[in-house]
Amino acid sequence: MHSFGYRANALLTFAVTILALICAMASLSDNLNTPSPTSQVQVLNINWFQKSTHGNDEPRAKVGSNLQNIGSIGSLWTPVWCQPRTLQRLIQQVSMTLNISANLQSLFTWNTKQVFVFLAAEYETPKNSLNQVSLWDGIIPSKEHAKFWIHTTNKYRFTDQGSNLRGKDFNLTLHWHVMPKTGKMFADKIVMPGFRLPDEYR
Amino acid sequence: MENFEITMKSIRSDSVRRITAQAISMGMIIASALMMWKLWMCLSGSDSPVVVVLTGSMEPGFKRGDILFLQMNDSPIHSGEIVVFRVEGKEIPIVHRVTTVHERRNTDEINILTKGDNNLIDDSHGIYADGQLWLERSHIMGRVIGYFPYVGWATIIMTEKPVIKYLLIGALSLLVITSKE
């Protein structure tokens, strides 16, 4: 009963139980935090919108010719020659210029490791009740970085499974996923409706 | 040395009844552990409610050796959720985040594209089966609801160096046999 083996066993069990308990409490403490995030997204410029070789719609960057009065400074930010191509499908990558600003500082607690934030375009089609396409994502490692403003083109292709994007109304939703140092993960979003793709290919 | 001799003598002189009692209690421990595991499988709705992260494709969020708690239910899968899926022909399940969702009207069918946070391109280029562009609900084992760091290293070490697994089991059984309880 008093041998080294038994004592080591008892100590180890106790230590593991206490550790598990502390981790659970740390996770529960996250529920005490009431976040109040804000965000705003502007689509500065939708570049040329063309049907790709595979028959799917996607807004595309225009090659070469002068960008006319689409309106804002944003159009000069996306030189087409430096956008990568996916050789397998011969589709150029998209460029829709976006201005994303958000303040997610209230999401951070002492148990937060990072916040994964991404912007998705959501729309409906006759065949699909919901389509969510991720346009941009980023990782916020700490509270200081959680208040940000970013001017960018969309990181990922905006493309549909069919040919439904002409004149499509879509919502831009900013989602965030809080990844804790230990315990339960939680997620939420802000929906920003009211965006629309052009009616005709350009 | 003397201690060892005394222990061996005491084992040999034990009655059958005591050994049977010990075997039964061992059996009870194993059976109740199995029952708890099955119960957890039932509650989480997934075949394996806990998985260990094996690769660095989700860093800095999940590192190799972390364990993830999964849950599977019928509620729709939305973009941003971290899911564990298995591709046909490949044995190891993969933990990545959903980036694109196309959900069919009126049926339960869903087309999903995933991507690891630390990867530059999405999974349809290389991780899915040849020619596969989308994941469906049947491929998904569960979505991640919680996470503990570092605990999975024990499993990784035991899988990659089976010697340690046998050593551990041998030591534990020796402990049980030589105990006087």
Side-chain angles (χ1 to χ4, degrees), chain B residues 37-38 40-52 67-72 84-86 91-95 140-144:
Chain B
W37 182 250
K38 286 285 173 187
W40 197 1
M41 270 173 60
C42 221
L43 289 174
S44 73
S46 158
D47 276 339
S48 77
V50 188
V51 289
V52 179
I67 63 169
L68 304 173
F69 299 106
L70 303 185
Q71 193 188 45
M72 186 67 192
V84 178
F85 59 91
R86 204 182 258 129
E91 209 186 83
I92 304 179
I94 302 176
V95 188
I140 310 249
M141 281 164 57
R143 78 190 96 202
V144 177

Side-chain angles (χ1 to χ4, degrees), chain B residues 73-131:
Chain B
N73 49 29
D74 282 333
S75 66
I77 298 177
H78 286 147
S79 95
E81 292 176 351
I82 304 180
V83 295
V84 178
F85 59 91
R86 204 182 258 129
V87 177
E88 276 145 30
K90 300 195 188 167
E91 209 186 83
I92 304 179
I94 302 176
V95 188
H96 281 172
R97 196 184 292 270
V98 175
T99 54
T100 304
V101 170
H102 292 288
E103 190 181 301
R104 294 268 176 280
R105 225 175 259 285
N106 298 329
T107 74
D108 229 2
E109 276 174 40
I110 191 167
N111 276 6
I112 289 177
L113 191 59
T114 58
K115 174 183 164 299
D117 287 348
N118 211 19
N119 292 347
L120 291 171
I121 47 172
D122 59 45
D123 292 347
S124 62
H125 302 97
I127 295 190
Y128 296 165
D130 276 330

Side-chain angles (χ1 to χ4, degrees), chain A residues 1 6 20 23-24 86 88-89 113-114 116 118 120 123-134 137 139 156-157 159-161 175 177 179-185, chain B residues 58-63 66 77-82 97-106 111 115 117 120 122 124-125 133-134 144-149 179-181:
Chain A
M1 204 58 211
Y6 279 109
C23 286
T86 48
Q88 297 118 314
R89 303 180 210 171
K113 184 151 85 159
Q114 67 181 34
F116 182 88
F118 68 99
Y123 59 95
E124 272 191 344
T125 60
K127 199 173 172 202
N128 294 339
S129 57
L130 173 67
N131 298 281
Q132 286 176 315
V133 183
S134 175
D137 59 30
I139 289 178
Y156 307 112
R157 260 185 276 132
T159 160
D160 183 45
Q161 274 190 328
H175 296 249
H177 280 65
M179 293 164 77
K181 292 199 173 108
T182 165
K184 183 170 179 300
M185 305 194 332
Chain B
M58 284 293 283
E59 290 194 8
F62 299 145
K63 296 194 166 47
D66 296 339
I77 298 177
H78 286 147
S79 95
E81 292 176 351
I82 304 180
R97 196 184 292 270
V98 175
T99 54
T100 304
V101 170
H102 292 288
E103 190 181 301
R104 294 268 176 280
R105 225 175 259 285
N106 298 329
N111 276 6
K115 174 183 164 299
D117 287 348
L120 291 171
D122 59 45
S124 62
H125 302 97
L133 291 176
W134 304 100
V144 177
I145 51 169
Y147 135 94
F148 265 7
S179 77
K180 289 244 179 242
E181 300 293 319

Side-chain angles (χ1 to χ4, degrees), chain A residues 130-150:
Chain A
L130 173 67
N131 298 281
Q132 286 176 315
V133 183
S134 175
L135 297 178
W136 170 85
D137 59 30
I139 289 178
I140 303 176
S142 65
K143 199 166 177 171
E144 293 78 44
H145 298 98
K147 189 167 180 186
F148 63 92
W149 178 88
I150 169 169

Side-chain angles (χ1 to χ4, degrees), chain A residues 60-104:
Chain A
R60 261 171 129 188
K62 184 166 187 281
V63 181
S65 64
N66 50 337
L67 295 172
Q68 293 173 349
N69 52 336
I70 310 289
S72 62
I73 322 166
S75 55
L76 296 175
W77 276 91
T78 60
V80 169
W81 51 266
C82 69
Q83 284 165 13
R85 289 171 181 245
T86 48
L87 293 170
Q88 297 118 314
R89 303 180 210 171
L90 301 174
I91 298 174
Q92 285 184 334
Q93 205 164 14
V94 203
S95 60
M96 182 160 74
T97 324
L98 301 160
N99 224 352
I100 308 171
S101 66
N103 181 359
L104 301 173

